[in-house]
Amino acid sequence: MRKFAVALALTASACSYQSPTQPAASAAATATNEPFSLTLGSSVGSGTTADHATITAKVQGPTGQPLGGVVVTFSTTVGALNPEQAATDSNGIGSTTLVASTAATVTAKAGTLSARTGVGTQPAAQPPPTPTPTPVPGPNPGATPTGPLTVTLTAADVIVGSTTILNVSIKDGVPPFQVTWTFGDGASFIGSSSSSAHLYAAAGTYPASVSVTDAAGRRADANATINVLAAAPAPAPAPQVPAYTITLTATPSTVVVNTTGVTLSANVNQQFGAPPATSFTWDCGDGATVTTPSASHICPGPYARIGTATAKVTASGGSVSGSASTTVTVTTPPVPGITVSCTQPTPPALTVNCAVSATLNGSPVASTAITHVDWDWGNGETSQTATNTTTHSYAATTGANTYTILASNVAVTGTTATGSGSTSKQVQ
């Protein structure tokens, strides 16, 4: 006995066929023209045909030969099939079309065989609507005018190169309106707005007009004269008067309060035949002035107020003079960073050797730049040194004692601010 095998092909977008791998004999298949295998395939459309699918059934005999003239009956769980029955062609293939907006399961039967496949259809994409052209307003027999249609055209005078705005006033008209503009320079425009913009290429007088047709089929015209004025002539250039352009600089531009001064330098640029500057009046920033023949001046300082000082110069040469200013920044003195280190070279001698090191603006300073230190030895005793090192001896005690050794009022060359530091030391 032979068994009939049914191959199921589940596809989403392209046709495919699968031959049965283990056909068995069937009591019903006793002739070579009886269906032995039934294979289904599907092909789904896209875009506006995404809801369409072509379903194909392939019928073969016991030796694998295609069987033509076999009636295949199709059914679906969703949508509609056209046709529901199809006879196979010489290639053993019969087909139908499924229309469904969701996935469906299609079943095919041929003789005693049946096969099933899933089909992934979806709603078809809708084409964009065709835009409807705006009709030209025509007579509106149903509109009732309240009076005669009248129009008035107005426009302001403009300078050539500027846009002219034309306005039409419509009285007792039935909207919508068709407005035809004629600008007087050969250009025209048809629209529905009560205003229009136009750019004239040359100065002159232009006879503009407007024609308005309302929805009742009535027409009214109006005229206006457009004055396009020539541009005003460019102003005459200013007379070239001899003058100085001066740049003033301060070196350094930043100083520490109550320390040094600055050097002022004036760079004089002679313009339009100005003679060389021969006299310079300086103000270092304190309001006091001094006059010199040199283009540089030393302000000895010190600057006593933290903040900014405005230095000035006035350069003169004959009847020509010019001035400039610059800012001098005055900052607080930098505080030195202090480190204290102590050693006890020969316990139990109760003597410590201590040293102070310092940094200024983040940079180490020489030990000789440390000119004063107040020492507090942590046991009620104090001392002072004019150098960064010293030695101190403690009184004899029982056992070891830990002392906090403080170095304060540490003076460092280069700043008026003092620093402090400490260390903890066990002495025995």
Side-chain angles (χ1 to χ4, degrees):
M1 178 182 294
R2 294 180 298 170
K3 293 183 180 180
F4 290 97
V6 179
L8 303 182
L10 302 180
T11 60
S13 61
C15 294
S16 64
Y17 293 96
Q18 297 178 358
S19 300
T21 57
Q22 294 180 343
S26 171
T30 58
T32 59
N33 60 348
E34 293 184 8
F36 180 80
S37 68
L38 173 63
T39 305
L40 286 185
S42 65
S43 176
V44 180
S46 61
T48 57
T49 61
D51 59 344
H52 284 59
T54 300
I55 312 300
T56 56
K58 186 173 185 178
V59 180
Q60 296 172 287
T63 62
Q65 79 279 13
L67 297 181
V70 178
V71 176
V72 181
T73 302
F74 298 95
S75 61
T76 179
T77 58
V78 176
L81 291 165
N82 186 24
E84 294 183 351
Q85 287 187 335
T88 59
D89 57 17
S90 60
N91 294 316
I93 295 176
S95 62
T96 186
T97 299
L98 169 69
V99 179
S101 59
T102 60
T105 300
V106 176
T107 302
K109 293 183 178 180
T112 61
L113 304 180
S114 66
R116 183 180 293 111
T117 184
V119 184
T121 55
Q122 57 185 329
Q126 297 299 317
T130 303
T132 302
T134 302
V136 176
N140 184 359
T144 303
T146 59
L149 173 65
T150 58
V151 295
T152 304
L153 178 61
T154 58
D157 295 346
V158 296
I159 302 296
V160 65
S162 301
T163 300
T164 299
I165 304 299
L166 298 87
N167 295 285
V168 62
S169 174
I170 305 174
K171 182 179 180 181
D172 295 330
V174 180
F177 304 105
Q178 176 178 286
V179 184
T180 301
W181 305 86
T182 303
F183 301 107
D185 61 351
S188 61
F189 174 73
I190 299 176
S192 59
S193 174
S194 61
S195 65
S196 183
H198 187 66
L199 182 64
Y200 291 91
T205 301
Y206 297 90
S209 63
V210 65
S211 177
V212 178
T213 301
D214 70 357
R218 300 176 302 165
R219 171 179 168 177
D221 301 327
N223 302 303
T225 298
I226 310 298
N227 294 313
V228 180
L229 309 177
Q240 296 182 343
V241 178
Y244 293 141
T245 300
I246 304 174
T247 303
L248 180 63
T249 57
T251 307
S253 59
T254 300
V255 296
V256 174
V257 65
N258 292 320
T259 55
T260 62
V262 300
T263 298
L264 300 177
S265 300
N267 181 23
V268 180
N269 181 19
Q270 301 164 229
Q271 294 184 324
F272 310 125
T278 57
S279 176
F280 298 85
T281 300
W282 307 92
D283 177 352
C284 290
D286 54 6
T289 60
V290 59
T291 301
T292 71
S294 174
S296 64
H297 178 67
I298 296 176
C299 297
Y303 288 87
R305 181 177 298 177
I306 297 173
T308 59
T310 301
K312 303 175 183 177
V313 65
T314 298
S316 302
S319 61
V320 182
S321 65
S323 300
S325 63
T326 190
T327 298
V328 178
T329 302
V330 184
T331 65
T332 57
V335 177
I338 303 301
T339 302
V340 180
S341 59
C342 296
T343 61
Q344 185 182 4
T346 55
L350 302 179
T351 297
V352 291
N353 296 330
C354 294
V356 170
S357 59
T359 60
L360 196 59
N361 292 322
S363 299
V365 300
S367 60
T368 55
I370 301 174
T371 58
H372 179 86
V373 182
D374 288 339
W375 296 93
D376 183 336
W377 300 104
N379 62 348
E381 297 178 322
T382 61
S383 62
Q384 294 181 345
T385 61
T387 62
N388 71 314
T389 61
T390 189
T391 298
H392 180 74
S393 297
Y394 290 89
T397 59
T398 302
N401 288 289
T402 300
Y403 299 97
T404 299
I405 302 171
L406 171 66
S408 60
N409 295 321
V410 179
V412 178
T413 301
T415 179
T416 58
T418 59
S420 62
S422 64
T423 188
S424 180
K425 183 63 181 175
Q426 186 182 67
V427 181
Q428 56 184 4

